[in-house]
Amino acid sequence: MSTVAVLGAGAVGARVARQLLTSDVVEQVVLRDISAERLARASRALGNRCRVEHHPFPGALEADLVVVATPRGTHLEAVNETIAARRPAVLVGDGLAETIAVLRRSGDAARAGVPIAVGSGFGPGMSCVLAAHGASWFDEVDEVHVAKAGTGGPACALVHHRALSRRSYDWRVDDGSRTGDWVRRAGGSGRELAWFPDPVGPRDCYRAALPDPVLLHHALPTVGRITARVAATRRDRLTAPLPMLSPPHVEGGTGAVRVEVRGRRGEASDVVVLGATERPAVAAAAVAATTVEWLLAGRHRVAGMAGLAEMVEPVAFLSDLAARGLEASIFEGERSLS
Amino acid sequence: MQVIRRALAAVSVAAAVAAALRINGADGIARRSGGWRPLAGPNLR
């Protein structure tokens, strides 16, 4: 039995702690947050197997694994500490710049042999597993396009708000020279209608500063085109360059991820569209808690830093998520794949 | 001068109405074919 530290007792962190305590794998959860109010609320709900630590935190973290579910801007410091302590970590973050900064420490994590799962939420996270699963259906994958709708807690809503006004990073291999490079485009551009699983349905999606292409390019380096978009309204795009004028909601409604994989099987070109729908914070907690259990059980495939597309075996991981109530779906249009 | 003021006022009102309509958007699109189903089976397909 293990002790797991959860940094952040927000919409995702508190749920990760609850899910871990309901499993047989974790004996105790150490919950840290700078907000005494959030800690008190979580402590009341989680019982005596949850030990809360208030700010300023005691120096040493006594845990076998760390879940980082804190707001943006705090993950790199947590990763540096976890690598120094040679302690596995699960990161639940969706900011592009922070993900790139964290991935720059992948060499150190590999040398230390510490498994660190980056982007272990709904999107990225579930989206990466779906992409890996969809890619396994093809002999050769040409394109992966990720779209997500909805936000979790206030920190997630802030990242979503900012992402629409930042530059997106799409991976593209030039057809002529066959060399690939990152294509930076303005956030909020490139409208596409994406059909998410019910009840989310069709939403207009736009380019945004999302980390999915960075993580997926690392996992699927031969894919020629990787893009990510986020569902947004005209009001979202209009106000994206401004500071958030009203405080973000405590938790958003139902969200979804959708992953479109295009490739070839034999001589035939085909497309697979996979997706999932759930409240983003609930889904992110399920993905993070399942990742924790996989790392503690030694089921991870990378002894270093990686996204979930590389870190876990997709079919077994999706089966575990389905057992937690987070089911993956496939879109079957007029051209059924089955 | 009054004609110009009236024209400017009309254009301003029209622009404000158009902006409000564009920001608020319209209802979604009804699906005509296809649908989602849960992945199933040992290989989750």
Side-chain angles (χ1 to χ4, degrees):
Chain A
M1 297 287 268
S2 307
T3 299
V4 173
V6 179
L7 310 184
V12 175
R15 287 193 172 98
V16 173
R18 185 182 305 140
Q19 294 213 14
L20 291 174
L21 288 172
T22 56
S23 75
D24 297 331
V25 180
V26 175
E27 184 179 22
Q28 188 179 45
V29 168
V30 178
L31 193 57
R32 283 186 173 185
D33 198 290
I34 56 169
S35 164
E37 185 188 340
R38 277 197 296 266
L39 283 176
R41 198 165 48 234
S43 178
R44 279 195 299 273
L46 297 173
N48 57 6
R49 281 171 63 207
C50 173
R51 191 177 83 231
V52 297
E53 292 186 351
H54 292 266
H55 190 264
F57 306 118
L61 190 59
E62 293 172 12
D64 302 301
L65 187 147
V66 180
V67 179
V68 183
T70 46
R72 71 184 174 86
T74 55
H75 287 213
L76 184 58
E77 186 185 347
V79 166
N80 289 336
E81 286 175 10
T82 199
I83 292 174
R86 293 176 180 265
R87 183 183 293 125
V90 173
L91 310 186
V92 188
D94 50 4
L96 172 62
E98 187 157 57
T99 301
I100 292 172
V102 165
L103 286 173
R104 288 203 176 108
R105 298 299 315 275
S106 60
D108 296 327
R111 276 187 290 278
V114 184
I116 298 176
V118 185
S120 307
F122 195 33
M126 181 74 173
S127 57
C128 295
V129 182
L130 290 175
H133 185 45
S136 71
W137 300 14
F138 292 95
D139 298 326
E140 193 174 342
V141 179
D142 297 324
E143 300 180 20
V144 177
H145 304 285
V146 177
K148 69 173 187 173
T151 57
C156 184
L158 185 59
V159 170
H160 173 272
H161 175 81
R162 293 169 62 94
L164 279 166
S165 64
R166 302 290 193 273
R167 287 191 167 269
S168 70
Y169 274 54
D170 292 343
W171 177 257
R172 180 158 204 154
V173 174
D174 183 72
D175 291 334
S177 64
R178 299 303 302 163
T179 54
D181 202 357
W182 293 104
V183 180
R184 290 188 293 171
R185 292 198 175 98
S189 64
R191 180 170 68 177
E192 275 189 9
L193 181 68
W195 214 294
F196 293 95
D198 297 327
V200 176
R203 295 279 181 89
D204 279 333
C205 295
Y206 303 86
R207 295 189 188 101
L210 302 171
D212 304 66
V214 176
L215 294 166
L216 287 174
H217 172 60
H218 206 262
L220 305 165
T222 59
V223 175
R225 212 171 151 218
I226 307 176
T227 68
R229 280 176 168 75
V230 64
T233 63
R234 293 185 180 111
R235 191 178 295 124
D236 292 335
R237 292 167 63 215
L238 189 70
T239 60
L242 308 170
M244 285 190 92
L245 300 176
S246 56
H249 47 67
V250 175
E251 183 163 350
T254 304
V257 291
R258 177 188 182 276
V259 179
E260 182 177 322
V261 183
R262 295 177 176 270
R264 274 164 282 173
R265 281 182 289 197
E267 295 297 312
S269 294
D270 219 331
V271 56
V272 169
V273 181
L274 302 175
T277 180
E278 180 54 275
R279 281 185 292 163
V282 175
V287 173
T290 307
T291 309
V292 168
E293 291 187 7
W294 274 55
L295 262 58
L296 288 174
R299 297 173 72 186
H300 52 281
R301 299 198 293 196
V302 179
M305 195 180 286
L308 289 189
E310 294 174 88
M311 188 64 86
V312 299
E313 197 286 308
V315 172
F317 194 83
L318 289 171
S319 299
D320 286 1
L321 285 177
R324 289 181 184 271
L326 182 58
E327 273 196 340
S329 304
I330 181 170
F331 184 80
E332 292 189 321
E334 289 169 302
R335 296 183 315 124
S336 173
L337 287 161
S338 54
Chain B
M1 199 64 185
Q2 195 174 4
V3 173
I4 294 171
R5 273 205 301 269
R6 282 180 179 170
L8 282 175
V11 168
S12 303
V13 170
V17 170
L21 289 174
R22 187 160 175 76
I23 288 171
N24 283 329
D27 290 341
I29 301 161
R31 187 172 60 225
R32 291 175 183 161
S33 67
W36 290 89
R37 67 158 176 83
L39 293 174
N43 295 320
L44 285 184
R45 295 207 174 188

